Amino acid sequence: MAAKRGKFILFEGLDRSGKSTQTRLLLNAIRQRGKQAEQLSFPDRKTLIGKLIGDYLRGSSKPASSEGKDKIQIENSETLVDEKSKDIKQTENESVLDDKAIHLLFSANRWEKQTLMRKLLDSGVDLVVDRYIYSGIAFSCAKGMDFDWCKAPDVGLIAPDLVVFLNVNIEESTAREGFGSERYETRQFQSLVLKQFQKLEKMAVPQSSNHSLDVVSQQPLWITINASQSIDSISKSVISYYNSLQDKSPGDYFIFK
Ligand code: T5A
Ligand code: NA
């Protein structure tokens, strides 16, 4: 075990807010100092669970709320079920998963990485993570699901030392390259998700607080950065927050409550 554990930095934000870009830049900055750092992204689409999630996300560009309506209509109409049984089976294979089931899969995808994450942190390796618990809660609550229900499966996970919320203007993120190719990628749904992230932000330790507060409150520090700035100036702010994080010993983590 290393004398100091690695730091756990998490990027959160709407789709196309620049998380992957900033994850890569922070990772490079840490490595340039000769420190070990690893990147993790959630969902991790390479695991068995991640493959199911990937199919779900690619399956439809419609937000789940509108899909729910279709499902109820199908369930209530026997004739429609007879006529369309083939279609229904096919749709099931493609992308129909109950909102609660997909929520639990996203959470399970985080749990399946916990042993690895602890091992890396305890051996002094920094973790730079692209989406985690907060995306899990924000995207599901944006469908109208209950906050406590959504939070419950993630309770007990290692929480990050620092959450960097990339606060992008929706007009801008939805105009960025590639937007609209996956489920959840509609302007309307993204604005519902943003409201949920803003609720989570209010519950976290505010940016202006003295950093020692994070130890007292046992909560990760949350900073919100204007993600419409240049890639370079966002990266500079992130690195200065990273530099101000306190050292901790192996095994000494925040645990998500
Ligand atoms: N989800 C996820 C849940 O519902 N529950 C969960 O528990 C979890 C973990 C996963 C989806 O699943 C949902 C949320 C998501 O809808 P994903 O694989 O994380 O999706 O995909 P995205 O979030 O869409 O990730 P992207 O890679 O598409 O977006 P990023 O990483 O935020 O953005 P990035 O860095 O790739 O940048 C996008 C574009 O913008 C440019 C980049 O060059 C790139 O072209 N860009 C900027 N342009 C101008 N100014 C800046 N500052 C810029 N920064 C980046
Ligand atoms: Na996306």
Side-chain angles (χ1 to χ4, degrees):
M1 251 188 223
K4 295 170 193 165
R5 75 153 165 85
K7 295 182 167 72
F8 177 176
I9 300 94
L10 168 64
F11 287 96
E12 287 282 11
L14 295 180
D15 296 42
R16 304 299 187 277
S17 54
K19 300 175 305 302
S20 310
T21 305
Q22 293 302 328
T23 298
R24 198 178 57 244
L25 290 175
L26 179 60
L27 201 71
N28 290 344
I30 299 170
R31 285 176 178 169
Q32 268 167 20
R33 299 173 183 189
K35 196 164 187 246
Q36 278 184 285
E38 292 297 333
Q39 176 188 342
L40 277 99
S41 299
F42 291 101
D44 177 346
R45 302 188 192 212
K46 290 185 292 296
T47 70
L48 213 58
I49 294 168
K51 287 195 174 84
L52 291 172
I53 296 172
D55 286 348
Y56 174 84
L57 290 171
R58 279 189 305 273
S60 162
S61 59
K62 278 187 294 180
S65 46
S66 64
E67 184 200 63
K69 277 180 205 147
D70 295 348
K71 216 162 52 185
I72 290 161
Q73 197 188 354
I74 289 165
E75 281 162 1
N76 287 345
S77 163
E78 274 177 36
T79 346
L80 200 63
V81 170
D82 286 344
E83 280 172 10
K84 300 223 168 172
S85 57
K86 263 191 205 158
D87 293 350
I88 292 166
K89 267 196 193 117
Q90 195 182 350
T91 316
E92 270 171 1
N93 292 338
E94 280 170 3
S95 65
V96 175
L97 264 178
D98 185 89
D99 287 342
K100 286 184 174 161
I102 187 66
H103 181 82
L104 294 174
L105 289 180
F106 273 115
S107 177
N109 189 231
R110 287 185 275 281
W111 278 107
E112 63 182 340
K113 292 280 157 179
Q114 282 297 282
T115 309
L116 173 71
M117 290 171 78
R118 275 178 193 266
K119 215 165 127 185
L120 288 169
L121 288 170
D122 283 345
S123 56
V125 179
D126 284 352
L127 296 183
V128 185
V129 179
D130 185 346
R131 290 197 192 278
Y132 194 57
I133 295 171
Y134 304 95
S135 282
I137 297 173
F139 279 75
S140 289
C141 288
K143 297 174 179 174
M145 291 167 70
D146 178 69
F147 178 84
D148 289 333
W149 193 93
C150 289
K151 199 181 133 193
D154 279 353
V155 168
L157 285 169
I158 301 174
D161 300 302
L162 174 67
V163 184
V164 179
F165 178 64
L166 296 176
N167 192 24
V168 74
N169 179 306
I170 290 180
E171 298 295 313
E172 217 178 299
S173 59
T174 54
R176 282 182 182 171
E177 204 189 315
F179 184 87
S181 58
E182 287 199 333
R183 192 185 290 261
Y184 303 151
E185 294 184 355
T186 66
R187 192 173 297 196
Q188 192 196 12
F189 192 67
Q190 294 288 310
S191 61
L192 294 172
V193 175
L194 178 61
K195 284 194 187 119
Q196 297 301 325
F197 272 126
Q198 286 164 345
K199 276 189 205 163
L200 290 165
E201 178 184 16
K202 282 197 188 111
M203 294 164 64
V205 178
Q207 180 175 355
S208 58
S209 306
N210 182 309
H211 285 201
S212 61
L213 254 186
D214 63 353
V215 179
V216 176
S217 65
Q218 285 296 303
Q219 276 202 68
L221 189 70
W222 176 297
I223 62 159
T224 297
I225 294 185
N226 172 5
S228 302
Q229 300 174 81
S230 75
I231 290 174
D232 191 48
S233 54
I234 297 168
S235 178
K236 282 194 177 117
S237 308
V238 170
I239 292 167
S240 86
Y241 276 103
Y242 168 84
N243 289 339
S244 70
L245 290 174
Q246 297 171 351
D247 285 328
K248 292 202 169 176
S249 308
D252 179 14
Y253 313 112
F254 292 127
I255 297 297
F256 186 65
K257 283 186 219 151

